Amino acid sequence: MSDRLVLTGDHVPEPAEVPQAAPGPARPRRTGWPRGAGGAGSARAPRIAVLDGLRLLAALSVVLFHYLAGTGTIPWQRTSVELFPTLHRVAGFGWLGVVFFFMISGFVICMSAWGKSLQQFWQGRILRLFPLYWAAVVLASAAARLGPQTPGEQRVTVGRMLTNLTMLQEPLGVNGIDNVYWTLWVELRFYLIFSLVVLLGTSHRRVANFCWLWALGSVLAPTSGIRLLDQLLVPAWAPFFIAGMAFYLIRRAGRIEGETLGILALSWLLMQHRLPAIMEGEGHGINWKVCLAAITAMYVLMGLIALGKLDRIQWRWLPVAGAISYPLYLVHQSLGVRVIWRWNEQWGAWPTLLGVIAGAVLIAWLLYRLVEKPLVPLLRRLIAPPAPPSP
């Protein structure tokens, strides 16, 4: 993430269906529920609206990280340390939003895949990720070619833009138009290996087994000498997805069971082991204990959601918050950094920061209204035409 988070970016990992995270990153959706889980005797769980709000908070934390956490002059003509001495220190923890994206993604992808065929699962993922992503790549490419240039920026060619449209630019060895796209490749690898569960048919036992096997594989992969295995199992980020899936199993069961608690404990232990390397690799230079405490708080919060303790939070604006979190994550850096670099001296530090964040949120909302809402139904009809009526 450092030059990736640069910042760059996550799951999270999809926005929340995520997520749905990061990443970003699948929007939480209503889903069938066993009796006793998610509501007293109801067969259908309430919308988990709080996940929508948490996705937006995660996206905004990444926004602040990219705008304020750097120690150099980009995107400000002076350093953010000088301009925002207190907020700069807080923003240094904003990369943790990517962690939360991935955790939410594990929860929501497991939820959205339950009872689906492999074809339905991938159709849903494609419809969720790609329309907004394509729009973001086109906007970022146009901004790079026509907008203000930041120092050291790499030229965007047509070939580079077209390769980015596949979302496979990282394994193809092509730089992303925007650094935040790296989390989408992490998400895609999660979908790919989780497809094995979907292919066999989702069930509590199969998802639990998948969590155990992925955790073990993520330990063995780095020393196996098999690069493909290391790529597929994403050892650094696997604990967060595993935790999200375990929390969803708790949600379905309506209680914490011994095996699920064991999966969560293992994911937490693996996470704390991986955390120093993640922090060093991203160049954050912040306290390990503080980051560990923050991620542990995420575990606690997701546990409350899994147990239905926050289901009463149904504020009307939360679904909109969830809807704009993914496009906000995709466009905030490629567009916002240019505006800050070009005009912060004329506008002043605080007006620039608040104006750029507000502008990024507005663009995210417009992308949701003008791209996702009309394009997704059209693409759904193209890739999943309705079955002809039976004679």
Side-chain angles (χ1 to χ4, degrees):
M1 269 179 316
S2 64
D3 89 309
R4 302 181 149 238
L5 246 166
V6 238
L7 288 232
T8 143
D10 218 334
H11 148 154
V12 205
E14 239 189 314
E17 175 186 347
V18 357
Q20 51 190 40
R27 208 153 35 239
R29 48 192 295 278
R30 297 181 183 274
T31 181
W33 220 260
R35 284 187 181 275
S42 67
R44 179 177 290 271
R47 180 186 181 93
I48 312 176
V50 69
L51 284 177
D52 288 315
L54 291 174
R55 285 177 53 213
L56 181 60
L57 287 177
L60 288 172
S61 73
V62 176
V63 170
L64 289 177
F65 180 68
H66 287 158
Y67 289 172
L68 298 176
T71 56
T73 57
I74 298 176
W76 305 88
Q77 303 292 343
R78 291 179 285 168
T79 66
S80 57
V81 180
E82 176 187 356
L83 295 172
F84 306 95
T86 301
L87 191 56
H88 166 78
R89 290 194 293 271
V90 175
F93 295 93
W95 67 277
L96 291 170
V98 171
V99 168
F100 210 11
F101 272 138
F102 289 156
M103 197 179 296
I104 294 173
S105 183
F107 184 102
V108 181
I109 297 308
C110 192
M111 176 173 68
S112 64
W114 209 273
K116 301 288 181 64
S117 69
L118 186 61
Q119 180 183 10
Q120 290 171 326
F121 172 68
W122 275 102
Q123 285 172 350
R125 294 302 85 223
I126 290 169
L127 291 173
R128 175 57 186 155
L129 287 183
F130 277 93
L132 286 170
Y133 174 74
W134 289 331
V137 169
V138 171
L139 279 177
S141 300
R145 294 182 70 91
L146 305 175
Q149 303 295 300
T150 56
E153 184 176 352
Q154 187 180 33
R155 182 171 176 268
V156 173
T157 63
V158 174
R160 183 179 166 204
M161 182 193 74
L162 293 175
T163 302
N164 270 249
L165 290 175
T166 67
M167 208 180 283
L168 298 174
Q169 62 274 5
E170 186 166 331
L172 290 172
V174 176
N175 289 335
I177 301 295
D178 191 322
N179 286 328
V180 302
Y181 300 163
W182 72 269
T183 59
L184 301 178
W185 174 232
V186 176
E187 287 277 342
L188 284 177
R189 283 178 281 175
F190 167 44
Y191 303 160
L192 183 61
I193 60 175
F194 190 70
S195 293
L196 295 175
V197 179
V198 180
L199 183 63
L200 295 172
T202 47
S203 68
H204 185 105
R205 171 48 43 213
R206 286 178 178 138
V207 172
N209 287 345
F210 175 78
C211 290
W212 289 118
L213 290 172
W214 191 7
L216 178 61
S218 71
V219 172
L220 299 177
T223 58
S224 68
I226 305 174
R227 190 164 180 268
L228 177 60
L229 189 64
D230 196 36
Q231 279 286 309
L232 278 177
L233 299 184
V234 283
W237 305 108
F240 308 112
F241 292 107
I242 292 169
M245 288 185 287
F247 283 122
Y248 180 67
L249 292 181
I250 292 173
R251 177 81 181 187
R252 284 195 65 87
R255 63 187 183 277
I256 300 177
E257 299 174 332
E259 182 182 29
T260 315
L261 185 60
I263 293 171
L264 286 172
L266 179 59
S267 76
W268 188 91
L269 291 170
L270 293 178
M271 173 275 296
Q272 65 81 31
H273 173 72
R274 300 286 187 193
L275 187 56
I278 293 174
M279 293 171 58
E280 181 181 356
E282 305 309 339
H284 302 307
I286 51 181
N287 190 284
W288 173 82
K289 292 181 180 179
V290 175
C291 292
L292 182 63
I295 297 174
T296 302
M298 295 176 194
Y299 273 70
V300 173
L301 183 56
M302 289 299 294
L304 294 175
I305 293 171
L307 292 171
K309 302 300 184 182
L310 303 181
D311 284 356
R312 293 183 179 180
I313 300 177
Q314 294 288 327
W315 302 324
R316 295 180 63 181
W317 58 271
L318 287 175
V320 177
I324 67 173
S325 60
Y326 180 45
L328 175 62
Y329 178 79
L330 289 175
V331 303
H332 75 272
Q333 182 164 272
S334 59
L335 303 183
V337 166
R338 299 177 189 284
V339 175
I340 292 172
W341 175 259
R342 174 63 180 82
W343 284 289
N344 74 90
E345 287 291 285
Q346 293 94 314
W347 296 348
W350 277 103
T352 300
L353 178 64
L354 296 177
V356 168
I357 292 175
V361 170
L362 176 60
I363 292 171
W365 181 81
L366 289 173
L367 287 172
Y368 163 66
R369 295 290 299 181
L370 302 179
V371 175
E372 184 176 42
K373 291 203 75 172
L375 192 55
V376 166
L378 174 62
L379 290 175
R380 181 176 287 113
R381 288 194 294 270
L382 291 174
I383 67 176
S390 56

